[in-house]
Amino acid sequence: MEEIIQKADDVTEKVCEWRAPETLKKILDLEMRDTGESHQKLLQLCQDVIQYSVKTNHPRFFNQLYAGIDYYSLVARFITEALNPSVYTYEVSPVFLLVEEAVIKKMIEFIGWEEGDGIFNPGGSVSNMYAMNLARYKFCPEIKEKGLSGLPRLVLFTSEECHYSMKKAASFLGIGTENVYFVKTDERGKMIPEELEKQVQRARKEGSAPFLVCATAGTTVLGAFDPLDKIADICEKHDLWLHVDASWGGSALISRKHRRLLHGIQRADSVAWNPHKMLLAGIQCCALLVKDNSGLLKKCYSAKAAYLFQQDKFYDVSYDTGDKSIQCSRRPDAFKFWLMWKALGTTGLEERVNRALALARYLVEEIKKREGFQLLLEPEYANVCFWYIPPSLRKMEDGPEFWQKLHRVAPVVKERMMKKGSMMLGYQPNQGKVNFFRQVVISPQVSREDMDFLLDEIELLAKDL
């Protein structure tokens, strides 16, 4: 545990100790045998697991939309792992159900709703699926009992830059990926409202039945925020459910300085928000929040299991909230967010968001000063996307050969940084643009020195390319 926690912010430690899969299999001795291993062997196995796992708490882990460590959240996880609760009825999980209720109420306030409902889920992808199914249930409640037969062709709309979970949800729910209409985005990755209007009218002319628009507040790659107010206007006009996937960008609501990014979110019917991302609540901590407070969530998902949700219990059974979930056993994910919030206060969480975005801005300004670095666009959130152009390419003409060669730079740099263990940084192509780096600032352990190191290290690793 000292290796994980006490060395978490030590930049002299490696972010990862890379080994190829077949090599790592041999090191870990993965075979399970008839007889148990010795205490000493088990300790060694634990040490190996720690050594060869990626240190996501490291200040130079920039690879994903989560990073860093919050010690209050960590303590909360120790507690819940020891208690091993399941959050479905008040009788078996009284504390954690009340905690979840309090956290959901507070999150709803930040969205700007006067009332609402919600549930914590295992991931933003699941929250998006919940919302899609809930929107469909509101559109045609009979589907819960009668199924898909006899229904019109249901279609939904989302942006080209949406999270891939929208396609997965459409597939899983039997809507079909061909019935997901992807709306064009502008050069910043934001959904274009006029294009949405065209798509809705097109679907109606085709005889389809539009029922849902999914906007995004903080896209995965570019960190774009869709224009929620204009999208809400279209949803009201056509009587469509508006879901906002704010899994990544929702935490900006905590900041008085940056909540403007989500202007209009109070008009949404549902919102996905993951505190385990920008707020460091620890994976996983993800809420689906719903404006409706008439019990729609429960009506959609309830199965009324008589052995769990008896209506003649000796206490108020409205606290048995588990029937709002598609899960039976469910982890108390709200607790770690609650304890962290209690410790830091809203002001502390706000400072966390503001600091991350200030560091992202610092990195942007440093990129502008350095030869060979080129921004894709000015970021509005914590996603800083850029190319590094090695010296050998800087005098090439801007043409197909140049972009083809530049496309190969980021994967090589990524391989080198991982084998060295110096840092982890993501890259990807996007919307016709060749591979570029995406740097994300989250962890409060990250400093300006780490931003400088990031740029220095890329230069060092790519100078011979």
Side-chain angles (χ1 to χ4, degrees):
M1 297 309 293
E2 288 177 356
E3 288 286 326
I4 300 172
I5 298 169
Q6 293 186 3
K7 294 182 179 180
D9 59 355
D10 186 349
V11 294
T12 65
E13 296 289 323
K14 288 186 174 184
V15 178
C16 60
E17 192 75 54
W18 170 260
R19 294 291 185 278
E22 294 305 317
T23 304
L24 193 54
K25 285 178 185 179
K26 293 174 183 175
I27 293 172
L28 294 176
D29 184 20
L30 297 169
E31 182 66 29
M32 280 118 350
R33 301 178 178 86
D34 292 340
T35 56
E37 307 281 6
S38 68
H39 181 71
Q40 193 59 40
K41 178 67 183 294
L42 293 173
L43 281 178
Q44 183 58 52
L45 285 171
C46 289
Q47 288 170 347
D48 289 341
V49 166
I50 293 167
Q51 180 179 352
Y52 296 107
S53 291
V54 173
K55 311 304 186 292
T56 63
N57 305 330
H58 195 289
R60 292 170 182 171
F61 175 80
F62 307 117
N63 210 64
Q64 313 297 146
L65 299 184
Y66 68 91
I69 186 169
D70 178 89
Y71 297 109
Y72 299 107
S73 169
L74 184 61
V75 168
R77 282 179 274 172
F78 287 156
I79 292 170
T80 54
E81 288 300 316
L83 289 171
N84 196 34
S86 182
V87 186
Y88 35 57
T89 63
Y90 184 81
E91 65 184 277
V92 298
S93 196
V95 173
F96 298 119
L97 275 168
L98 294 180
V99 164
E100 182 172 81
E101 179 185 62
V103 171
I104 286 171
K105 182 180 179 183
K106 196 70 174 176
M107 294 174 81
I108 282 170
E109 285 179 19
F110 275 93
I111 290 172
W113 298 334
E114 292 182 4
E115 58 182 11
D117 199 358
I119 194 90
F120 272 75
N121 302 306
S125 295
V126 175
S127 293
N128 288 337
M129 184 185 73
Y130 265 75
M132 191 179 293
N133 193 47
L134 193 62
R136 183 175 65 174
Y137 175 78
K138 179 74 184 298
F139 184 78
C140 45
E142 66 275 10
I143 193 172
K144 181 176 178 181
E145 294 179 353
K146 299 186 183 301
L148 296 170
S149 59
L151 285 179
R153 180 187 172 218
L154 298 176
V155 299
L156 63 107
F157 310 88
T158 189
S159 89
E160 294 174 330
E161 293 283 332
C162 75
H163 191 259
Y164 66 86
S165 60
M166 299 310 296
K167 286 180 72 172
K168 289 197 171 192
S171 172
F172 185 83
L173 294 171
I175 292 168
T177 57
E178 289 185 1
N179 297 319
V180 180
Y181 285 30
F182 293 100
V183 181
K184 289 180 182 178
T185 56
D186 63 19
E187 69 281 355
R188 298 192 59 81
K190 299 169 180 284
M191 186 191 292
I192 302 171
E194 294 78 10
E195 292 296 325
L196 172 62
E197 176 68 36
K198 288 178 188 176
Q199 291 275 37
V200 174
Q201 291 183 10
R202 171 193 149 203
R204 288 250 160 88
K205 286 178 182 176
E206 290 172 349
S208 302
F211 74 102
L212 166 68
V213 174
C214 177
T216 310
T219 59
T220 305
V221 178
L222 300 178
F225 287 75
D226 288 340
L228 301 181
D229 247 345
K230 291 181 179 180
I231 292 170
D233 288 342
I234 294 168
C235 290
E236 285 183 9
K237 176 183 174 182
H238 295 283
D239 194 23
L240 303 173
W241 182 285
L242 174 57
H243 173 64
V244 177
D245 179 7
S247 297
W248 172 221
S251 296
L253 289 168
I254 299 286
S255 167
R256 285 165 291 185
K257 182 177 181 180
H258 297 292
R259 63 175 294 118
R260 57 180 171 71
L261 292 168
L262 296 104
H263 180 72
I265 196 170
Q266 75 280 358
R267 299 176 66 187
D269 295 292
S270 57
V271 174
W273 179 357
N274 292 4
H276 77 232
K277 295 182 185 290
M278 178 63 78
L279 296 179
L280 276 80
I283 289 177
Q284 55 205 21
C285 188
C286 313
L288 172 71
L289 306 161
V290 182
K291 184 186 285 186
D292 176 273
N293 199 32
S294 69
L296 184 69
L297 197 57
K298 187 172 182 178
K299 289 172 193 171
C300 180
Y301 291 108
S302 172
K304 300 178 181 177
Y307 72 93
L308 265 183
F309 304 111
Q310 305 93 329
Q311 297 303 294
D312 54 0
K313 291 180 179 180
F314 64 93
Y315 60 85
D316 182 355
V317 295
S318 68
Y319 286 98
D320 289 356
T321 57
D323 222 12
K324 294 191 293 188
S325 171
I326 60 171
Q327 297 171 257
C328 182
S329 299
R330 193 165 61 90
R331 295 175 62 86
D333 291 329
F335 179 64
K336 53 197 170 188
F337 187 30
W338 175 82
L339 189 63
M340 183 178 74
W341 204 332
K342 292 285 281 185
L344 300 178
T346 303
T347 303
L349 296 179
E350 181 180 29
E351 288 172 359
R352 187 165 282 180
V353 175
N354 290 346
R355 185 178 186 279
L357 294 185
L359 270 177
R361 175 47 50 187
Y362 171 81
L363 179 63
V364 167
E365 297 307 317
E366 290 302 305
I367 285 172
K368 290 176 181 178
K369 295 175 188 175
R370 297 207 184 197
E371 187 181 4
F373 288 89
Q374 183 179 324
L375 284 170
L376 260 76
L377 73 169
E378 284 282 342
E380 59 181 345
Y381 200 46
N383 308 47
V384 182
C385 299
F386 62 93
W387 288 289
Y388 177 68
I389 305 168
S392 66
L393 300 182
R394 289 176 197 168
K395 293 182 179 179
M396 279 190 70
E397 287 186 17
D398 184 350
E401 186 183 358
F402 168 80
W403 291 107
Q404 188 179 42
K405 289 188 174 185
L406 186 59
H407 184 66
R408 296 198 291 265
V409 171
V412 175
V413 174
K414 178 64 177 282
E415 177 184 358
R416 290 177 176 182
M417 72 174 70
M418 288 198 67
K419 288 182 176 178
K420 186 178 177 183
S422 57
M423 63 181 184
M424 281 184 67
L425 178 68
Y427 75 87
Q428 62 284 301
N430 183 261
Q431 299 291 352
K433 293 182 172 66
V434 301
N435 281 328
F436 56 88
F437 294 108
R438 181 201 64 174
Q439 203 277 354
V440 182
V441 182
I442 299 174
S443 171
Q445 284 85 26
V446 175
S447 66
R448 286 188 172 193
E449 287 74 22
D450 295 313
M451 300 294 96
D452 295 337
F453 175 85
L454 171 99
L455 301 180
D456 292 340
E457 187 71 357
I458 290 174
E459 284 185 315
L460 179 67
L461 295 173
K463 63 184 179 182
D464 64 329
L465 296 181

